Amino acid sequence: MARTLDEVHRDVRQAVTGRAGTLWEVALRLHADPEYAFAEHRAAALLTGELERAGFAVERQIAGMPTAFAARSGRGRPAVALLLEYDALPGLGHACGHNLIAAAGLGAALALHDVLDGTAGCVTAVGTPAEEGGGGKAVEVEAGVFDDVDAALMFHPGVHDWRWAPLTAQAQYTVAFHGRAAHPTGNPTEGVDALASLIELFNVVAVLGRRLPEASHVQGIVTHGGTATNIVPEYAEGRFGLRAATTAALEELAGRLREAAEGVARATGTRTEVEQATVRYDHFRDSAVLSGRFAGHLSRSGLTLTEPAPGVYLGSSDIGNVSTRVPAIHPFVAIMGENGSDHTPAFAAAAASGRAREVLIAAAQALACTAADVLLRPGLREQAWAGHRAAGAAGG
Ligand SMILES: [Zn+2]
Ligand SMILES: [Zn+2]
């Protein structure tokens, strides 16, 4: 006899509880052995090993990345993707708690497989490398990994209990100036100082910065400023990190940077080249209907999620790119107090604490229940897609 949705929720929660010891062990093994962007080989092997042993069909090295993978239970539509991050931070280890993201996604996927056995559609555990630099999810979006998916679900440990993550769009640009070398005193009128142009660009950017919209920001560094003090620099190069509340605002900001560089080049008699240097992270679009379901399920474990504080932006992530394609959630669940911060040694310690274990199990259960909702309730899928299309149409 077919189970009711409530019974499925009960059963996946029990399945996560039954695997709690294994999931915590996976989280601790990842934590003790941090690996970095695109080189998370042992993490990918550990996670795909668990999934394969449970009966998932595992595809390794997807989207041209050696440490990315997709592990499927069932096929076709409806389809849910659980996103597993597992990269760490050089010098700090798992100071962003991605060991917990991986173990929670794993736990949810295994529980859904235990209970539904691929009969309700497709459950895919997607291994997403290099969130901290490189943007594995952005590469996967481009490769079509999320083309046949109805929802992409993950959680992120943090210092807040927030239903969704205010994440800005972000990209880096290199700006090069070409001048002409000369001896600074021997034949100074021959020299065209490329470094002086770059310094001028910093001045212009500082002026622009005073009237940028909320959340728009430019941070520049000099990456090449000449070779010797007895040569007028013929080449100078800077790198500029741009952020904005939306992808559209980011593109506008990049246009401003380009105009400023070209204006400086015209004024100083140099030539400039402006190039995008990194994968662009889009801003995050929360699927309110799905993050609401997640929050509801999480409250069964005594954890309450609220709206983020207004006007607060917490950086950028490649989940933004996924959220432009499919309904997506990225709630924060606190593993330490609000006066703490991720990307610190204290946060790395918190990612292996007793509180982290409780959050891991609660998040895995809530992810599994939310995924079951997506698979078993066509009306919810339609609502999620309608919300997704409305956000896209509004450019928001
Ligand atoms: Zn991080
Ligand atoms: Zn992170």
Coordinates of all heavy atoms in Angstrom, one line a residue, residues 16 23 25 108 161 176 198 238 246 258 265 275 308 330 340 351 361 387:
V16 N 17.5 8.7 8.3 CA 18.7 9.6 8.6 C 19.2 9.2 10.0 O 20.4 9.1 10.2 CB 18.3 11.1 8.5 CG1 19.4 11.9 9.1 CG2 18.0 11.5 7.1
L23 N 27.1 9.1 9.1 CA 27.1 10.5 8.5 C 28.1 11.3 9.3 O 28.9 12.1 8.7 CB 25.7 11.1 8.5 CG 24.7 10.4 7.7 CD1 23.3 11.1 7.8 CD2 25.1 10.3 6.2
E25 N 30.6 10.3 11.0 CA 32.0 9.8 10.7 C 32.5 10.4 9.4 O 33.6 10.8 9.3 CB 31.9 8.3 10.6 CG 33.2 7.6 10.8 CD 33.1 6.1 10.6 OE1 32.2 5.5 11.3 OE2 33.8 5.5 9.8
A108 N 20.7 12.8 3.3 CA 19.3 13.0 2.7 C 19.2 12.1 1.5 O 18.1 11.4 1.3 CB 19.2 14.5 2.3
D161 N 20.6 31.6 11.9 CA 19.6 30.7 11.5 C 18.7 31.5 10.5 O 17.7 32.1 10.9 CB 18.8 30.2 12.7 CG 19.6 29.2 13.5 OD1 20.1 28.2 13.0 OD2 19.8 29.5 14.7
A176 N 44.6 45.9 -17.9 CA 46.0 46.1 -18.3 C 46.2 47.4 -19.0 O 45.3 47.8 -19.7 CB 46.5 44.9 -19.2
L198 N 47.3 53.1 -14.4 CA 46.6 52.2 -13.5 C 46.3 52.9 -12.2 O 45.2 52.8 -11.6 CB 47.5 51.0 -13.2 CG 46.9 49.9 -12.3 CD1 45.6 49.4 -12.8 CD2 47.9 48.8 -12.1
G238 N 46.2 45.4 -13.1 CA 45.5 45.3 -11.8 C 44.4 44.3 -11.9 O 44.0 43.9 -13.0
T246 N 22.6 42.3 -7.7 CA 22.1 41.4 -8.7 C 23.1 41.2 -9.8 O 24.0 42.1 -10.0 CB 20.8 42.0 -9.3 OG1 21.1 43.2 -10.0 CG2 19.7 42.2 -8.3
R258 N 35.0 49.4 -17.2 CA 35.6 49.4 -18.6 C 35.6 50.8 -19.1 O 36.7 51.2 -19.7 CB 34.7 48.5 -19.5 CG 35.2 48.1 -20.8 CD 34.3 47.2 -21.6 NE 34.1 45.9 -20.9 CZ 35.0 44.9 -21.1 NH1 36.0 45.0 -21.9 NH2 34.8 43.7 -20.5
A265 N 42.9 55.6 -20.3 CA 43.8 55.3 -21.4 C 43.8 56.5 -22.4 O 44.9 56.9 -22.9 CB 43.4 54.0 -22.1
E275 N 39.5 42.5 -19.1 CA 39.0 41.1 -19.3 C 38.4 40.5 -18.0 O 39.0 40.7 -16.9 CB 40.2 40.2 -19.8 CG 40.4 40.3 -21.3 CD 41.6 39.6 -21.8 OE1 42.1 38.8 -21.0 OE2 42.0 40.0 -22.9
P308 N 16.6 36.8 6.7 CA 17.9 37.4 7.0 C 17.7 38.9 7.4 O 16.7 39.5 7.1 CB 18.7 37.4 5.7 CG 17.8 36.6 4.7 CD 16.5 36.4 5.3
H330 N 19.2 27.6 -0.1 CA 20.5 27.7 0.5 C 20.3 28.3 1.9 O 20.8 29.5 2.1 CB 21.5 28.5 -0.4 CG 22.9 28.6 0.1 ND1 23.3 29.3 1.2 CD2 24.0 28.1 -0.4 CE1 24.6 29.2 1.4 NE2 25.1 28.5 0.4
G340 N 30.4 35.2 16.0 CA 31.4 34.4 15.3 C 31.4 34.7 13.8 O 30.6 35.5 13.4
A351 N 32.9 23.3 13.2 CA 32.4 22.3 12.2 C 32.6 20.9 12.6 O 32.2 20.0 11.8 CB 33.1 22.7 10.9
I361 N 22.4 16.3 11.4 CA 21.3 15.4 11.4 C 20.0 16.1 11.1 O 19.2 15.6 10.3 CB 21.2 14.6 12.7 CG1 22.5 13.8 13.0 CG2 20.0 13.6 12.7 CD1 23.0 13.0 11.8
G387 N 7.3 30.5 -9.1 CA 8.1 31.5 -8.4 C 9.4 31.8 -9.1 O 9.9 32.9 -9.2

